[in-house]
Amino acid sequence: MPTNLLGPEPTLLPEEPDVVKDVADDDFTSADVALAHPTSSLAWALLADEAYEQGKTLESYAFARVGYHRGLDALRRSGWKGHGPIPWSHEPNRGVLRALFALQRAADAIGEEDEVERLARFLDDSDPVAAEKIRSGE
């Protein structure tokens, strides 16, 4: 396997088949998914999106903040050292990237500009296509 001489290897989070199954289940709400899988950044990102769509900015910020921290925990468990690619193309990474995006969006809504800039850099450094993919609903 070739070594990336330009930087760290991409971080690839493990799959969360139970989370994905519950997200797809029409009988589960976003809150049900988060309660069943509290360590999943995807579950918290979904709650953040739902709150944001309902105009609940502070709740969206809080849910996204939890998803962000759960994502950092998962990344570190997978060998991430605080920098390096977190590719959108690897589907299990999408939860943490969505939580980053949701936190940036909510931080912008409450005027936390330093946080907005920091999160924009983090998201872009993780994968430059992630924010556009999230905006487009992929």
Side-chain angles (χ1 to χ4, degrees), residues 85-101:
I86 306 166
W88 173 263
S89 61
H90 182 67
E91 198 160 333
N93 288 352
R94 293 181 183 181
V96 69
L97 295 170
R98 288 180 62 175
L100 278 169
F101 181 88

Side-chain angles (χ1 to χ4, degrees), residues 10-11 19 25 33 41 46 57 88 103-104 121 131 133 135:
T11 301
V19 175
D25 187 337
V33 176
S41 57
L46 293 171
T57 305
W88 173 263
L103 185 55
Q104 178 192 12
R121 278 191 310 278
K133 295 284 188 180
R135 274 190 216 84

Side-chain angles (χ1 to χ4, degrees), residues 15-81:
E15 293 186 17
E16 296 180 312
D18 293 338
V19 175
V20 172
K21 181 178 83 55
D22 288 350
V23 166
D25 187 337
D26 289 338
D27 291 334
F28 277 75
T29 66
S30 297
D32 293 332
V33 176
L35 286 169
H37 310 283
T39 62
S40 171
S41 57
L42 175 60
W44 292 101
L46 293 171
L47 274 173
D49 289 346
E50 189 175 284
Y52 189 81
E53 289 167 9
Q54 295 171 359
K56 298 177 179 176
T57 305
L58 289 178
E59 290 88 339
S60 178
Y61 183 90
F63 292 142
R65 177 66 66 189
V66 173
Y68 166 80
H69 284 288
R70 293 300 191 162
L72 291 178
D73 293 343
L75 289 167
R76 288 182 186 116
R77 280 192 306 273
S78 293
W80 185 73
K81 303 290 186 213

